[in-house]
Amino acid sequence: GALAAALESRLVQKNGEGCTAAADEVDGTQEILGNDQSHEPSGIQNADVELCFPDSISEMKLDDALVSLPSASVPELMQEELSQLYFDRMHAFAPILHQLRYFSWDRQSTKTESQRCLQNAMWALAASVSAQFQTIGQSLYQDTRQALELLESRHSDIKSIRIEQVQACLLLAIYEFMRSDYCRGWMSAGRAFRLIQLMRLQEIDVPGCNRTQTDWVEMEEKRRTFWVAYALDRFVCIRGSDMHLAKVMVRLPAPEVAFQSGQPVLMGFLIESITADDQSSMSPFTECIVLANISGRALSHRHQSLVENLYINMSQNTWDRHKWIGDELTERIALLSVKYAPASEQMDPLLLFTRMVAQTTVLYLYKIMNSMIPVTAENQATVIMQLNCFKVHPFTPIPLSLCAEFLNSYRNLDDSFASQLEHILKALRSLKRVNNLAQACLHSFELDNVDSLL
């Protein structure tokens, strides 16, 4: 009652969008995350398919366009509610913040500009996954964009960049992929990638580098921020964009319990963890990063194989590369099945998404081999239908849509493919209520398959 009354008394009419699109272009991200040691060179920089995405969520409530609640006017009780909601529903998908440290600086009377930007981005994301606060999500988002643009205009020195600014850009991009439009999300992601490059986060664990910083939690936050950006790039690139990756010297993120409790854990590098005999210490977040890496290699392999096939016959190196990626993928899927029981997917949406990424990567290998391996997309779509739509990974529509495209292309080979396709499309339609990316994927699928759907 008191919270609702406070909200109602502070709502004002929106004066205008007051927001300009980010000037950063997507192409600028090509030099950011560079060529990590386990990445196969592709030589291909452009997508083979260009997708057109709608600009807004058709089902968004009219109130969203009318209500404005500047972050400075958010009641204190609502601030606490939104912060906790973020950690309850969004942190698992972007585990970049140390909760105790966040709540510590949140209680301070003065905050840095970067911290305010980060907090606004957190609140906007939290509002987007809450039926109670959805009407204020758009104004919080606009507030975040304006604050970040103002921060960049005031501080152009590299030394002035703070990790909270990078984190705010990443969360803003995730919000835009979910609630705004695909292109704007890409531009914000590109801005985050550039900041990462300027801070040289891709090199924070270079051997022999003397660092004065000894705070392990602060270093771990930087590592996690880099890996969330790395995974974001890989998953969005699955829809048809590819970029050249540079050398990555960043240790994998520590287990969540160690991070939140501030207990230092020395983790290995990506290539070491992929080939390690003992995989027991890998968390769902780390598993997601490993699958993102394999997915990126499969994507580059597919592009390179298409080019090789145009000019020369498939070489032995092509099939050796294909077999190596296939073996890595098969082993990873087997490890996931042994390490995590199927029921655990319902408890951990990140684990469910990771398994879906593995299946999506299999589809890329299908396109090269032109042979069939059973797909379990229907079961995963069923699990998604059973989950609260606010607790599904923001990028879940991407692997779902690729599974739908595959099943629709080969529906004549198996009678069960039609029913599996319907399950996946039903899941996408359910997700589009809260995720614009689902609507974009559905729109693209319907345009590409208009004849088969008639």
Side-chain angles (χ1 to χ4, degrees):
L3 178 60
L7 172 60
E8 183 176 359
S9 67
R10 293 177 182 270
L11 296 180
V12 295
Q13 291 293 329
K14 186 177 182 181
N15 293 324
E17 293 299 324
C19 174
T20 59
D24 296 332
E25 297 179 1
V26 176
D27 290 342
T29 62
Q30 291 182 352
E31 300 177 359
I32 296 292
L33 302 177
N35 212 352
D36 64 86
Q37 294 171 334
S38 57
H39 185 69
E40 295 291 337
S42 68
I44 301 299
Q45 307 251 346
N46 298 319
D48 53 350
V49 178
E50 183 175 353
L51 298 175
C52 179
F53 291 86
D55 290 336
S56 62
I57 302 177
S58 60
E59 296 183 2
M60 184 171 291
K61 296 179 180 178
L62 183 61
D63 290 346
D64 283 355
L66 301 177
V67 175
S68 175
L69 184 63
S71 59
S73 303
V74 177
E76 184 176 349
L77 187 60
M78 188 186 298
Q79 293 179 18
E80 296 178 2
E81 181 76 11
L82 287 170
S83 293
Q84 189 58 53
L85 191 61
Y86 170 83
F87 283 107
D88 289 345
R89 293 189 177 178
M90 291 304 303
H91 175 76
F93 307 130
I96 56 179
L97 299 179
H98 190 274
Q99 294 191 45
L100 292 180
R101 294 202 176 188
Y102 166 77
F103 285 114
S104 177
W105 61 255
D106 177 45
R107 288 191 291 269
Q108 297 176 7
S109 56
T110 58
K111 300 179 180 67
T112 66
E113 291 179 274
S114 297
Q115 287 173 338
R116 291 193 180 280
C117 288
L118 172 59
Q119 194 167 59
N120 287 351
M122 293 169 59
W123 291 346
L125 263 180
S128 74
V129 292
S130 165
Q132 180 182 1
F133 296 119
Q134 287 227 354
T135 53
I136 66 171
Q138 183 67 13
S139 61
L140 287 169
Y141 158 69
Q142 296 287 6
D143 220 22
T144 305
R145 284 189 60 87
Q146 293 171 7
L148 282 170
E149 289 165 4
L150 184 60
L151 179 61
E152 289 183 2
S153 68
R154 288 179 177 175
H155 306 286
S156 57
D157 185 7
I158 294 177
K159 295 181 179 179
S160 67
I161 302 174
R162 296 291 178 264
I163 191 63
E164 292 90 355
Q165 182 180 353
V166 183
Q167 293 168 333
C169 286
L170 285 175
L171 297 185
L172 187 76
I174 294 174
Y175 178 94
E176 288 170 336
F177 280 122
M178 292 177 63
R179 304 298 292 178
S180 183
D181 67 274
Y182 185 89
C183 293
R184 176 161 287 186
W186 246 133
M187 287 190 287
S188 293
R191 176 183 294 175
F193 296 158
R194 283 194 174 92
L195 291 173
I196 285 173
Q197 186 183 36
L198 289 172
M199 293 184 71
R200 304 183 73 87
L201 294 187
Q202 73 273 21
E203 300 173 3
I204 61 175
D205 289 313
V206 172
C209 180
N210 294 323
R211 293 192 174 273
T212 57
Q213 182 173 313
T214 58
D215 189 328
W216 180 81
V217 171
E218 188 174 340
M219 285 291 288
E220 181 66 11
E221 274 204 354
K222 290 181 178 181
R223 291 188 186 100
R224 286 167 171 254
T225 300
F226 170 83
W227 286 118
V228 166
Y230 178 94
L232 184 154
D233 164 60
R234 284 297 187 273
F235 298 144
V236 177
C237 281
I238 291 175
R239 285 305 309 177
S241 261
D242 192 18
M243 69 167 64
H244 176 69
L245 292 176
K247 191 174 184 179
V248 172
M249 293 301 296
V250 184
R251 294 186 182 276
L252 288 170
E256 184 70 15
V257 173
F259 173 49
Q260 296 298 338
S261 62
Q263 297 297 318
V265 175
L266 183 65
M267 299 296 292
F269 292 96
L270 183 61
I271 186 61
E272 298 171 347
S273 298
I274 290 177
T275 58
D277 293 331
D278 184 10
Q279 303 282 331
S280 59
S281 63
M282 296 183 68
S283 65
F285 182 32
T286 305
E287 296 282 5
C288 193
I289 291 169
V290 171
L291 259 301
N293 174 267
I294 297 176
S295 174
R297 276 186 260 155
L299 181 61
S300 296
H301 167 57
R302 176 173 173 247
H303 289 326
Q304 186 172 348
S305 300
L306 289 173
V307 172
E308 289 174 349
N309 196 36
L310 284 175
Y311 298 103
I312 58 175
N313 293 327
M314 290 288 188
S315 66
Q316 184 60 42
N317 288 337
T318 300
W319 296 114
D320 289 344
R321 186 174 65 240
H322 184 96
K323 183 178 185 301
W324 187 82
I325 296 174
D327 290 345
E328 285 291 325
L329 183 59
T330 301
E331 181 180 354
R332 210 78 230 163
I333 294 174
L335 284 172
L336 285 173
S337 300
V338 172
K339 189 174 179 180
Y340 301 101
S344 61
E345 293 179 354
Q346 300 186 30
M347 303 298 295
D348 190 340
L350 181 59
L351 185 59
L352 171 63
F353 178 72
T354 300
R355 205 180 293 268
M356 291 176 64
V357 170
Q359 295 296 335
T360 303
T361 307
V362 171
L363 298 185
Y364 276 105
L365 299 184
Y366 286 162
K367 293 181 178 181
I368 299 172
M369 290 288 292
N370 195 25
S371 62
M372 301 298 105
I373 302 176
V375 181
T376 58
E378 181 184 14
N379 293 335
Q380 292 166 349
T382 301
V383 173
I384 290 173
M385 295 292 291
Q386 296 171 351
L387 292 175
N388 184 319
C389 62
F390 291 130
K391 292 188 176 183
V392 175
H393 195 289
F395 294 152
T396 295
I398 295 176
L400 277 182
S401 65
L402 288 173
C403 289
E405 291 170 6
F406 173 82
L407 291 171
N408 189 62
S409 297
Y410 298 101
R411 62 194 306 167
N412 61 317
L413 298 180
D414 193 314
D415 293 339
S416 68
F417 278 15
S419 63
Q420 292 185 46
L421 174 61
E422 185 55 37
H423 270 82
I424 292 173
L425 293 178
K426 187 176 181 181
L428 282 170
R429 294 185 188 107
S430 176
L431 288 176
K432 78 174 185 178
R433 296 175 298 166
V434 297
N435 192 329
N436 193 44
L437 196 53
Q439 178 170 305
C441 290
L442 275 173
H443 180 73
S444 177
F445 177 82
E446 290 166 355
L447 285 179
D448 292 341
N449 302 281
V450 60
D451 294 333
S452 61
L453 295 176
L454 293 178

